[in-house]
Amino acid sequence: MGGYGDVQMIDENGLRMDGRKPGDVRPITIETGVVPVADGSCRMIWGTNEVIVAVYGPMEAHPRKIQRQDRAVLDVAYNMAPFSTTDRIRPGFNRRSREISKVTADALESVVLLELYPRSKIRIGIEIVSAEAGTRCVGLTAASVALADAGIPMTDLVVSVASGKINDVVVCDLNKEEDNYGEADLPMGVLPNTGELVFLQMDGDLSPDEFKQAWDYNMDAAMEVHKLMVEALKGGGN
Amino acid sequence: MSVPLVPKLLRAHLADLALNDSRLDDRGQWDGRDTKLETGILARAEGSAKVTMGDTIVLAGVKFQIMTPYPDRPNQGGLMCSCEVRPIAGRHWEAGPPSPQSIELGRVVDRGIRESGCIDVDELCIIPGEKAWQVILDLHAISDDGNLFDAFALAGIAALRDATIPAERFEIGEDTPLKVSKTPIMCSYHKVGGRFVYDASYREELGGDERIHITLGDDDHVHSLQKGLKGIFTAEEFDEIMEHAKARCAELREIVNG
């Protein structure tokens, strides 16, 4: 977190630079069936984030050493396209994308009924085509929609939202400037049917009260986004 | 790319279809799939395009960087074309370092665009010997149902034509559109069931043999050729392909210039 206190991101009416109130989420559109050759897919546009997720499988897990006798393995590859950010990203190995792939897999393994498909692999490709802020949240959320689109049994969808703090005010769903100059960031992955969590990260500085507020914002936002996900899945696509 | 099993049945079926002058999706030998081009679709790229050819979908994005000109060409900027096919695009594409297939893809598309001279690298110079623009064209596959070559080449030239040099962001004057003086277009042909067909689908590529890629510029000038995979072809076959390529490239050029 930069914590540049001199960048004013909340006006005198308590509105943010993009006109949102502190608890508001950016506009979201969700579409399924966008990768015709995949078993399931999802495009999620969240603010100016654009993420495309494709799911393949369950299929043969190879090399064989990755196979598990009692369950399927999830192979998650989160990647930012070279043209997805202001400064081009060099393609190739990158510690950040490895970590995000891992925590995304950890979150999804908590909801996918892996034991139904022993010795197989389910591949989830997450491509960030345009990045604003919160790409890991959008990637995880879109991945759960794509898994559902592929007909993979799950106990619940996963909705991921981040709240944070800008100019000492707690706000929901940080945009690019707020993420760059804000003082804290708390991304969470919520199971909307139970309110349980499968993903949690945080960096920055929050007081106990601020932390509670950020947590509550994330929970409320998750329920809101969940409605859009269900709508997209029921509404068509493929 | 993992080596897919090529079912003998698929090869036999493709040979049967060829005898009856038919294809898996009932297209004629020289028919392409419906091709759709959209530009200016990526929020963070300085130029972008999306091409949909049947179930094949690709994106192209243009970014700019400041480079130091090469000592032997102090007055020139640079053009770089890079291609990535990630596991999202199909079950036969694996994660990991770029495969020979994806490197060939990027290089063949790069040659067609570079050799056409559509980008004047002298115009990219900012301060001779010190500063110049490097244009970077990144090609990204979303869905591979065959013929990524043509889809990439089409998206690539369209994205370049859509590009704006972000001079303001780098504090070197005003934003200006990137000058693209020509429109090179690629057409690809695969030997399927013993004859060449245009715009092969993934299953035709899987059960087919060699392939030939032709990039033609304005006025039918040839800018790049590539023969890929194992196989033998005759001069007569090549003549026939070239005749088709001239007509088809002109049609696709209309879509880009339109």
Side-chain angles (χ1 to χ4, degrees):
Chain A
M1 293 291 104
Y4 298 88
D6 52 341
V7 180
Q8 199 55 42
M9 289 182 288
I10 299 251
D11 71 9
E12 60 273 19
N13 302 317
L15 292 181
R16 296 150 73 176
M17 287 163 90
D18 51 14
R20 282 185 290 159
K21 295 199 279 293
D24 290 351
V25 179
R26 287 169 285 181
I28 296 170
T29 54
I30 307 172
E31 201 183 333
T32 57
V34 295
V35 181
V37 299
D39 296 310
S41 59
C42 173
R43 172 192 286 118
M44 191 169 281
I45 298 171
W46 185 317
T48 57
N49 285 308
E50 180 174 348
V51 176
I52 299 174
V53 179
V55 170
Y56 293 89
M59 59 191 186
E60 187 188 358
H62 65 101
R64 270 176 90 163
K65 67 178 181 190
I66 68 164
Q67 287 186 6
R68 292 288 171 272
Q69 296 308 308
D70 54 345
R71 63 177 178 92
V73 291
L74 289 189
D75 173 9
V76 176
Y78 165 101
N79 179 59
M80 293 182 86
F83 43 70
S84 64
T85 49
T86 309
D87 293 322
R88 177 178 183 261
I89 300 174
R90 264 177 86 107
F93 178 84
N94 158 339
R95 288 167 64 88
R96 177 182 172 276
S97 60
R98 283 289 172 96
E99 187 210 343
I100 295 177
S101 299
K102 181 187 176 294
V103 293
T104 304
D106 294 343
L108 293 170
E109 281 180 1
S110 316
V111 294
V112 176
L113 301 181
L114 297 168
E115 57 283 5
L116 293 178
Y117 307 106
R119 292 184 294 279
S120 65
K121 173 173 93 173
I122 298 167
R123 190 164 83 199
I124 302 163
I126 302 173
E127 291 296 320
I128 312 298
V129 164
S130 167
E132 186 184 349
T135 57
R136 72 191 66 194
C137 296
V138 187
L140 173 55
T141 310
S144 83
V145 174
L147 281 164
D149 185 46
I152 309 257
M154 292 184 282
T155 52
D156 205 344
L157 290 165
V158 180
V159 197
S160 183
V161 189
S163 286
K165 185 168 73 164
I166 50 169
N167 303 136
D168 288 324
V169 179
V170 176
V171 295
C172 185
D173 187 26
L174 304 172
N175 69 19
K176 189 161 178 265
E177 289 74 23
E178 294 168 345
D179 192 39
N180 287 348
Y181 302 113
E183 296 119 52
D185 184 20
L186 171 70
M188 295 186 345
V190 179
L191 307 187
N193 284 316
T194 58
E196 293 168 306
L197 274 78
V198 290
F199 168 62
L200 181 66
Q201 293 187 314
M202 190 266 171
D203 60 315
D205 178 287
L206 291 173
S207 72
D209 288 345
E210 288 166 344
F211 181 73
K212 176 78 176 55
Q213 177 67 71
W215 184 285
D216 291 346
Y217 273 153
N218 280 345
M219 283 292 177
D220 293 346
M223 300 309 153
E224 206 179 303
V225 177
H226 178 238
K227 284 185 201 145
L228 300 173
M229 296 160 74
V230 171
E231 227 170 82
L233 282 163
K234 286 189 171 166
N238 272 331
Chain B
M1 200 197 285
S2 63
V3 181
L5 294 173
V6 182
K8 284 190 172 170
L9 279 172
L10 176 60
R11 286 186 73 89
H13 182 45
L14 290 168
D16 276 351
L17 285 169
L19 280 177
N20 297 311
D21 194 23
S22 181
R23 292 170 73 176
L24 287 169
D25 51 8
D26 295 328
R27 271 186 288 155
Q29 184 178 4
W30 305 113
D31 292 347
R33 293 169 288 183
D34 279 347
T35 302
K36 198 171 120 197
L37 171 69
E38 297 159 80
T39 53
I41 39 111
L42 296 169
R44 299 276 171 268
E46 268 80 56
S48 60
K50 175 183 177 181
V51 164
T52 309
M53 283 166 38
D55 281 348
T56 292
I57 303 172
V58 303
L59 298 176
V62 179
K63 297 296 295 180
F64 290 83
Q65 285 176 355
I66 301 286
M67 65 181 275
T68 310
Y70 298 110
D72 55 336
R73 289 169 186 172
N75 297 313
Q76 292 186 357
L79 168 68
M80 188 174 117
C81 176
S82 121
C83 148
E84 255 195 306
V85 189
R86 301 211 20 103
I88 185 183
R91 60 177 63 225
H92 51 290
W93 290 99
E94 299 277 351
S99 61
Q101 285 86 350
S102 70
I103 291 172
E104 185 193 17
L105 256 170
R107 286 182 55 88
V108 173
V109 174
D110 180 283
R111 284 207 293 276
I113 290 173
R114 182 185 304 279
E115 299 303 329
S116 75
C118 64
I119 307 270
D120 184 352
V121 282
D122 289 330
E123 295 234 358
L124 297 173
C125 182
I126 304 165
I127 304 170
E130 282 181 35
K131 260 187 178 182
W133 291 110
Q134 183 180 33
V135 187
I136 307 175
L137 173 63
D138 281 296
L139 306 166
H140 212 72
I142 298 297
S143 177
D144 174 18
D145 187 28
N147 201 7
L148 283 178
F149 281 87
D150 288 2
F152 274 153
L154 193 63
I157 187 64
L160 287 171
R161 295 193 76 104
D162 179 55
T164 302
I165 301 176
E168 279 168 33
R169 181 152 59 79
F170 288 88
E171 295 173 350
I172 3 188
E174 285 181 15
D175 288 1
T176 45
L178 175 68
K179 276 187 202 157
V180 183
S181 59
K182 294 181 182 119
T183 312
I185 302 283
M186 188 191 294
C187 281
S188 297
Y189 301 85
H190 285 69
K191 185 75 83 62
V192 179
R195 60 168 190 174
F196 277 101
V197 300
Y198 169 62
D199 186 24
S201 67
Y202 174 63
R203 295 209 321 136
E204 287 177 317
E205 288 181 352
L206 193 61
D209 296 301
E210 77 269 25
R211 47 182 163 74
I212 294 178
H213 311 282
I214 301 176
T215 305
L216 298 181
D218 304 351
D219 308 324
D220 294 342
H221 281 221
V222 188
H223 293 304
S224 87
L225 293 172
Q226 180 92 344
K227 183 255 178 182
L229 302 179
K230 191 184 82 175
I232 299 168
F233 64 95
T234 65
E236 288 74 29
E237 282 174 324
F238 186 79
D239 285 345
E240 201 179 5
I241 287 172
M242 189 56 115
E243 279 313 304
H244 178 265
K246 285 176 189 163
R248 182 59 181 162
C249 287
E251 282 172 28
L252 291 172
R253 193 170 292 113
E254 283 297 303
I255 297 182
V256 177
N257 294 343

